[in-house]
């Protein structure tokens, strides 16, 4: 079963056990922690997800508040039954995510290839 949600400069899709979020250029960071996160919570509640993929194309640099949302996302993933989280990012964002985030015990990978990330999330 597949389901897709769209917001202001973001999309979320649930397909075959994996939730895929895309955060697009121009997305406001406030939306990241509110509207998009609420959709994430709903998808976790309504579906049996075991993998998460986030595609990060945001223009703005990550703030401490952004990392708080990432860490809350990781904690909720664990309680929601997710075991693997792949993030698609490049440059400084990829480095930031690798080094600054408490992953709450999730198996994590960061790549610059969306298809690779989705395949990896499905392997869990």
């Amino acid at each position: 079963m597949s389901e897709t949600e769209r917001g202001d400069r973001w999309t979320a899709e649930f397909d075959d056990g994996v939730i895929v979020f895309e955060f697009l250029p121009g997305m406001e960071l406030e939306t990241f922690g509110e509207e998009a996160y609420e959709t994430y919570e709903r998808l976790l509640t309504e579906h049996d997800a075991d993998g998460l993929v986030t595609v990060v194309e945001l223009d703005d640099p990550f703030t401490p508040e952004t990392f708080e949302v990432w860490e809350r996302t990781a904690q909720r993933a664990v309680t929601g039954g997710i075991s693997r989280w792949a993030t698609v990012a490049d440059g400084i964002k990829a480095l930031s995510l690798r080094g600054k985030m408490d992953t709450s015990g999730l198996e994590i990978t960061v790549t610059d290839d969306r298809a690779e990330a989705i395949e990896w999330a499905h392997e869990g």
Side-chain angles (χ1 to χ4, degrees):
M1 181 175 132
S2 182
E3 177 182 342
T4 302
E5 298 275 334
R6 297 190 189 293
D8 186 18
R9 312 294 303 153
W10 63 268
T11 63
E13 179 180 6
F14 176 81
D15 189 30
D16 193 26
V18 174
I19 298 171
V20 179
F21 265 93
E22 291 189 75
F23 302 116
L24 304 171
M27 179 181 157
E28 296 291 327
L29 290 178
E30 293 165 358
T31 302
F32 177 69
E34 295 171 1
E35 182 182 334
Y37 190 84
E38 290 169 9
T39 299
Y40 170 65
E41 284 278 356
R42 187 182 56 70
L43 289 172
L44 277 175
T45 301
E46 294 177 1
H47 300 286
D48 185 20
D50 55 3
L52 174 63
V53 175
T54 51
V55 180
V56 181
E57 297 179 5
L58 301 173
D59 295 324
D60 296 333
F62 291 151
T63 64
E65 292 80 16
T66 306
F67 283 106
E68 288 175 14
V69 174
W70 283 115
E71 289 177 1
R72 184 171 38 146
T73 300
Q75 292 166 358
R76 182 62 180 97
V78 169
T79 63
I82 289 177
S83 60
R84 294 182 137 211
W85 182 3
T87 300
V88 180
D90 59 10
I92 193 70
K93 287 195 174 34
L95 291 173
S96 293
L97 289 170
R98 281 189 183 111
K100 293 185 180 178
M101 191 172 80
D102 176 4
T103 61
S104 295
L106 286 171
E107 191 174 349
I108 300 282
T109 192
V110 179
T111 180
D112 62 359
D113 185 301
R114 185 182 192 278
E116 178 183 306
I118 292 171
E119 181 180 325
W120 182 86
H122 277 287
E123 291 173 358

